[in-house]
Amino acid sequence: MNNILISTGSYLPEKILTNSDLEKMVETNSEWIIERTGIKERHLAKPEELTSDLASKAAANALKKASLKPEDIDLIIVATTTPDLTFPATAVCVQEKLGIKNAAAFDIQAVCTGFIYAVSVADSLLKSGNFKRALVIGAETITKIIDWTDRNTCILFGDGAGAVIIEPSEKSDTGILSFSIHSDCSSRNILQTDSGVSLNQKAGLLRMEGKEVFKHAIVKLADCTSESLKKAGVTSEQIDWVIPHQANQRILDATIVKLGMPKEKLISTVAIHGNTSAASIPLALDWGFANNKFQPGQTLAMQAIGGGLTWGSVILKL
Ligand code: UT7
């Protein structure tokens, strides 16, 4: 029996940072950003706006759409790299903000792959029979760990949150059909923070060797998607939509070509959201529903890569 997706929701902070705004901050230009990344604008959380605020709003949106009450949720997982505090977990802060009393709540840290990891963990916990309904959120205020003088990274990232609700069903041909998650620490230095709580009591700023990450991204995203397809017994022709982590339009385009799928199957929100780390897939998923892209019975392939390196994919039939 599979776990099915019953609702999605999202939230983006009000403030928008455009490429022209960035031109005033670092030596860059909008044409370069659009040509090399596809990004036109991204949302920015206010200093007092916390990851749990974004996450709670996205989750409340998903609960409302499914006509569910706080007590209908008994498992909350938040994928984030930018927690409100070192502890308690941001998921517990979300639990408090939504008034969800009887639930287990914890965070997952797999950077930009966090949402794929969180869905995989929720799927497994629901299959264990110990929980009845999971709220899985990808939420980030990633711009708070950006060096705004580093043009290699500051043009890429944005804030936001996306949420999904999944629950067990009697169906075996719908819902989460498979997942694959991986990590490899040998390339950790190409994408990491320059500080850490245990290292020097600081959160640190994001540092990335973009070109190196780019090379890994296309191969690993295509490989893990092929692996998940095989596990699910689904061919690439049977995939209706590919929802990748929204890092760079050129990565999205190259990966779909490597998978031998047409570009029309791609859900791309990178132009309007930028790279929102763990939030990017659930944001793109909710955007797809809001824009009437998906039909019941369609099959989606979600895929992500991030710091660690971590990478993974999920095959989901609606
Ligand atoms: O979310 C986790 C996963 N992250 C990713 O997947 C990110 C992967 N990497 C990328 O998306 C791309 O590598 C970047 C967008 C970060 C960079 O694009 P690129 O095509 O790899 O550019 P580059 O770093 O090779 O730089 C090309 C040129 C350089 O100038 P020279 O050395 O050729 O004279 C850079 O200094 O572009 C220059 N450059 C810029 N110019 C204008 C770098 N950043 C900028 C900028 N504006 N913001």
Side-chain angles (χ1 to χ4, degrees):
M1 298 305 138
N2 286 339
N3 297 306
I4 54 168
L5 176 77
I6 59 163
S7 188
T8 64
S10 63
Y11 179 76
L12 290 157
E14 268 171 41
K15 187 177 165 52
I16 291 175
L17 186 75
T18 64
N19 289 351
S20 357
D21 294 331
L22 282 159
E23 284 176 2
K24 293 170 203 133
M25 296 159 69
V26 284
E27 183 70 40
T28 191
N29 60 81
S30 186
E31 294 71 37
W32 189 96
I33 301 174
I34 293 170
E35 193 193 309
R36 305 307 291 169
T37 73
I39 301 168
K40 292 180 181 163
E41 58 186 38
R42 67 291 284 148
H43 292 249
L44 224 61
K46 291 182 200 134
E48 68 276 17
E49 214 170 3
L50 306 183
T51 296
S52 67
D53 293 324
L54 275 51
S56 304
K57 285 176 182 166
N61 185 220
L63 285 167
K64 193 176 170 198
K65 282 194 221 165
S67 303
L68 289 172
K69 297 189 195 75
E71 58 267 30
D72 296 324
I73 299 294
D74 61 358
L75 176 63
I76 307 167
I77 307 180
V78 173
T80 189
T81 304
T82 44
D84 292 13
L85 298 165
T86 301
F87 75 87
T90 301
V92 176
C93 304
V94 169
Q95 177 177 22
E96 188 196 17
K97 283 178 181 162
L98 294 177
I100 300 175
K101 297 261 177 337
N102 297 309
F106 61 93
D107 291 356
I108 290 236
Q109 161 58 299
V111 205
C112 300
T113 319
F115 182 73
I116 296 290
Y117 268 65
V119 168
S120 307
V121 171
D123 185 45
S124 307
L125 284 176
L126 288 170
K127 280 192 168 151
S128 77
N130 283 297
F131 297 94
K132 64 172 197 256
R133 196 170 289 113
L135 173 62
V136 183
I137 307 167
E140 301 278 14
T141 49
I142 195 90
T143 64
K144 295 188 184 185
I145 57 162
I146 294 301
D147 176 353
W148 291 102
T149 65
D150 176 13
R151 70 174 184 171
N152 292 301
T153 53
C154 75
I155 55 136
L156 298 170
F157 293 91
D159 301 326
V164 300
I165 300 173
I166 52 178
E167 66 178 23
S169 80
E170 298 291 306
K171 299 168 189 160
S172 59
D173 60 346
T174 300
I176 300 168
L177 303 183
S178 70
F179 63 80
S180 56
I181 49 175
H182 295 278
S183 62
D184 175 9
C185 66
S186 64
S187 301
R188 62 172 260 188
N189 61 324
I190 63 173
L191 180 52
Q192 62 181 357
T193 54
D194 57 14
S195 292
V197 178
S198 180
L199 185 71
N200 56 8
Q201 297 80 56
K202 292 176 189 160
L205 295 174
L206 185 151
R207 302 292 173 203
M208 178 168 74
E209 289 175 37
K211 241 185 175 39
E212 289 308 308
V213 178
F214 198 107
K215 283 186 217 157
H216 283 280
I218 297 156
V219 177
K220 289 184 162 60
L221 290 172
D223 283 356
C224 68
T225 306
S226 301
E227 186 188 336
S228 294
L229 284 171
K230 205 171 164 192
K231 282 189 198 171
V234 169
T235 64
S236 56
E237 289 77 27
Q238 289 171 305
I239 292 294
D240 297 290
W241 295 100
V242 177
I243 309 179
H245 165 48
Q246 308 285 316
N248 183 322
Q249 187 63 44
R250 289 189 295 135
I251 296 178
L252 271 60
D253 292 341
T255 307
I256 201 147
V257 168
K258 196 163 168 51
L259 282 165
M261 297 186 197
K263 281 188 185 170
E264 291 68 37
K265 290 187 177 182
L266 203 54
I267 296 289
S268 175
T269 53
V270 70
I272 50 171
H273 297 162
N275 180 345
T276 57
S277 185
S280 91
I281 292 178
L283 272 169
L285 188 61
D286 193 52
W287 180 91
F289 279 110
N291 287 275
N292 301 315
K293 297 281 181 192
F294 311 134
Q295 300 300 324
Q298 288 193 327
T299 308
L300 318 182
M302 300 183 272
Q303 50 181 217
I305 184 163
L309 294 176
T310 56
W311 65 100
S313 74
V314 169
I315 307 297
L316 172 74
K317 190 164 180 186
L318 299 178

